[in-house]
Amino acid sequence: MNMKKKLLAVALGVTCCLSFAGCGDDAKQTASTDKATAARVVETTDVATKGEKKDWKIAVVVKDSSNGWFARMEDGVKQFAADTGINAYQKGPAATDAAQQVQVIQDVINQDINALCVVPVDPAACDPVLKEARDKGILVITHEGSTCKNADYDLEAFNNAGYGAFIMDKLQEAMGGKGIYTTMVAHLTNASQNEWANGAVAQQMAKYPDVKLLDNPKRVESENNSEKAYQVAKEVIKAHPEVTGFVGTSSMDTPGVARAINELGLKGKVFVVGTGMPNECRTLIKDGSLSYITLWDPAEAGYAMCVLARQILEGKTPQDGMDLGLKSYNKLQVSPENPRLFMGAGWIAINKDNVDNYNF
């Protein structure tokens, strides 16, 4: 019996070893399968997914890795990696902080990358490290960074002034074409958000004569923080009870201002329209605290930056009318003022009638 037990133990041991070896192979296979079947959040054509099979390495650095907007952008970057087999990945600081973002960029440009895609917190603060990247031979593409001097190209979801005008049109639809408003941005140093706010003001001045911009403050900062936006909105409304509208630009502005409107019992009297995330704003939209959110899909923007980087690495030169194989980036327009700035056509508006059509 003892000999039989020993033989059985040996047999079991061999079986276990083989099983563990098999598990290792299975784990590799599963990881490969997971990558190949990453959740599809972006609609693409072959233009986006087909290209030279080279060992490109593309790093995307965003403003804040904890922000839902950039979690959605990372979904797009991951899908690009799964679709193409290219090593593309996303990094970002733990908070929206220019100095922290510069450090993240510094770290990734030392990782033997071919292309760097950046959504800058502060373009001026990023410029020195972006120059360092280019000096290393790294292709640099920005998004929401049209004023960066050391980017090879800037890719926007749309014309920034046009997006601001779109926000103003939706705000005035809610306000009834009359009243007093102010504008909110994450930081006064943020390039794109201030361009959107300026576009909203220009649209108001051109199209809505019965609407006035609050003289002081004309623009306030939310620090890309919903709680800060909430506090600032309450301060503005209490100091200036004549205010009936807010233009929000950061995705944190609109839910914060809407909370303040709700708490002060001003639903239907004070309105906010601006950039927002459907899942973060759904309840506020449905209860009437928030009239509209305007946005583009950050997943599509993340994917688009990677496609543009790949095409340039393959030797293509960006041109007016260029197709990136994505719904909002299938006919890029080059800015007449800046030949390095390319724009898609990706803005959308969400209200209580269509908010449940979006899940991000």
Side-chain angles (χ1 to χ4, degrees):
M1 291 294 292
N2 288 338
M3 181 58 69
K4 288 182 178 178
K5 287 181 179 179
K6 287 180 180 178
L7 290 171
L8 180 60
V10 171
L12 288 171
V14 171
T15 302
C16 287
C17 288
L18 291 172
S19 296
F20 283 126
C23 285
D25 292 338
D26 288 345
K28 290 178 183 176
Q29 182 63 38
T30 299
S32 176
T33 302
D34 285 347
K35 185 177 181 182
T37 57
R40 298 200 63 77
V41 295
V42 176
E43 296 178 18
T44 64
T45 68
D46 285 350
V47 173
T49 58
K50 302 299 182 186
E52 295 180 18
K53 295 297 181 183
K54 289 196 175 181
D55 295 330
W56 306 123
K57 193 173 182 181
I58 302 172
V60 178
V61 178
V62 298
K63 296 178 184 180
D64 183 346
S65 61
S66 66
N67 186 305
W69 183 269
F70 295 112
R72 173 70 176 180
M73 181 171 283
E74 187 171 22
D75 289 341
V77 174
K78 287 179 176 178
Q79 185 185 322
F80 171 83
D83 287 349
T84 63
I86 291 172
N87 184 359
Y89 60 91
Q90 181 172 301
K91 298 285 186 182
T96 306
D97 180 89
Q100 289 183 39
Q101 186 184 45
V102 167
Q103 185 58 57
V104 174
I105 296 171
Q106 186 72 64
D107 291 344
V108 300
I109 67 173
N110 292 325
Q111 295 175 11
D112 195 29
I113 62 173
N114 302 100
L116 171 68
C117 302
V118 179
V119 188
V121 174
D122 181 345
C126 280
D127 259 324
V129 73
L130 297 185
K131 181 179 186 303
E132 186 177 337
R134 294 179 76 194
D135 288 345
K136 287 175 175 280
I138 298 169
L139 170 69
V140 175
I141 294 171
T142 54
H143 175 66
E144 296 186 54
S146 61
T147 60
C148 282
K149 295 180 174 62
N150 288 296
D152 292 288
Y153 296 97
D154 181 71
L155 179 63
E156 300 296 338
F158 37 64
N159 175 283
N160 283 337
Y163 179 60
F166 181 68
I167 292 174
M168 179 54 65
D169 287 342
K170 292 302 178 184
L171 178 61
Q172 292 316 306
E173 185 180 317
M175 290 175 63
K178 59 184 179 180
I180 296 175
Y181 73 101
T182 190
T183 63
M184 182 178 286
V185 295
H187 299 93
L188 293 176
T189 57
N190 183 285
S192 292
Q193 290 179 15
N194 281 280
E195 289 173 15
W196 304 339
N198 291 342
V201 173
Q203 180 76 342
Q204 171 264 305
M205 293 177 69
K207 193 172 178 181
Y208 303 105
D210 294 330
V211 178
K212 305 297 180 187
L213 176 64
L214 182 66
D215 184 59
N216 185 24
K218 291 183 169 103
R219 190 154 302 170
V220 292
E221 292 181 294
S222 67
E223 299 175 6
N224 205 40
N225 182 289
S226 182
E227 186 64 27
K228 177 72 173 180
Y230 159 76
Q231 294 291 348
V232 169
K234 286 203 302 182
E235 290 168 9
V236 169
I237 292 169
K238 287 179 180 178
H240 302 278
E242 69 274 21
V243 167
T244 55
F246 286 82
V247 167
T249 58
S250 160
S251 63
M252 297 291 104
D253 296 351
T254 42
V257 175
R259 280 179 52 217
I261 290 170
N262 196 355
E263 183 179 297
L264 295 172
L266 295 173
K267 281 194 296 187
K269 297 178 182 178
V270 179
F271 307 90
V272 57
V273 172
T275 309
M277 294 287 281
N279 287 351
E280 293 175 358
C281 298
R282 191 178 316 277
T283 300
L284 292 164
I285 291 172
K286 288 188 172 184
D287 74 13
S289 304
L290 181 52
S291 306
Y292 278 99
I293 54 172
T294 58
L295 67 153
W296 65 106
D297 188 344
E300 200 174 18
Y303 200 117
M305 282 192 288
C306 292
V307 174
L308 181 61
R310 188 204 71 217
Q311 292 194 1
I312 295 170
L313 290 171
E314 290 176 351
K316 297 180 178 69
T317 300
Q319 297 179 349
D320 194 48
M322 188 175 187
D323 181 11
L324 297 184
L326 302 161
K327 183 171 60 175
S328 298
Y329 301 86
N330 62 7
K331 194 174 182 181
L332 296 184
Q333 293 183 324
V334 63
S335 166
E337 293 83 23
N338 181 357
R340 298 181 298 107
L341 169 58
F342 285 79
M343 301 167 286
W347 60 55
I348 53 178
I350 295 175
N351 63 7
K352 62 183 179 180
D353 296 328
N354 64 348
V355 65
D356 286 334
N357 295 340
Y358 299 89
N359 186 28
F360 62 86

